[in-house]
Amino acid sequence: FDAAAIPHSYYVYRILEGTGHPIFASNVIGFFSWFIAGLIVYYLARAVLSLHVTTAFFVALIYLLLPTYFVRFNIELVYYAASNAFFFIGFFLYVYLSRRLSWGYGFLASIPFFVLSFLTNSILVFYVIFLATDFLRSMGKPTPQTLLRTLWGWFRVKFPLVLLPVIFWIAQSIIVGDSHGPYADYNQIIFFYNPHFLTIAASLIQNVWEFVVWGLFWPFVGPWEVLLRK
């Protein structure tokens, strides 16, 4: 686990092994993680985006039908499901407490859940969606002429939101260090100076249509494939 810079997975593995039925325990965790995340997506669609009940339900349903995995047991996929739940729980606490009390209370309550979700690097990137949502909720939809001034005004007040993932990433880099071994590149954040960045970017651009098609049809094809395996 240290070789892949994911030492937290060791403790997840020990907890699952301690249950005596690790596969069943991982399935339970995965189910309730996605279930909780789906409920919160519905809440956010209604409370933040002000979508109609039917539209919000459809958005949550599409989120839950995103491509899933067909392996029986994988320690990282268990934590990935939990990371989704942690991220949306933090999102929910921030929005809910910001409305009831203040954004400061919401931020403090959401920190533990955001930090737990950041242990999966892709969630660390998705945090940008949370920042964009808060910016639009707080400042409205700025015009191109006032965008920079409005963004600066939001940042002066809400800068702790922006600094949280930066502080986490720096702390993780210092504590965990560089990954090595056969799984060193798993779920890593790729910067422009990475020697493989252009190759990966070119592959993504070349296959963008394939991603779009699978994103539309996979929720329907996937369950059918599972049924054929039964």
Side-chain angles (χ1 to χ4, degrees), residues 96-124:
Y96 183 82
L97 294 179
S98 295
R99 289 185 163 195
R100 298 301 188 274
L101 300 172
S102 69
W103 76 268
Y105 286 104
F107 176 62
L108 290 176
S110 65
I111 286 177
F113 296 97
F114 279 139
V115 169
L116 287 172
S117 71
F118 289 164
L119 292 173
T120 299
N121 283 334
S122 54
I123 307 296
L124 186 62

Side-chain angles (χ1 to χ4, degrees), residues 11-29:
Y11 301 101
V12 176
Y13 178 79
R14 291 297 300 270
I15 292 173
L16 293 176
E17 279 293 313
T19 65
H21 302 279
I23 295 177
F24 176 76
S26 67
N27 289 336
V28 171
I29 293 173

Side-chain angles (χ1 to χ4, degrees), residues 173-184:
S173 301
I174 295 174
I175 296 172
V176 178
D178 295 330
S179 57
H180 56 279
Y183 302 104

Side-chain angles (χ1 to χ4, degrees), residues 34 66-72 74 76-78 80-81 84 186 218 226 229:
W34 287 105
L66 287 174
T68 186
Y69 309 97
F70 294 130
V71 294
R72 287 192 65 196
N74 186 309
E76 277 309 300
L77 300 186
V78 174
Y80 183 81
N84 277 276
Y186 173 77
W218 184 256
V226 174
R229 295 184 180 186

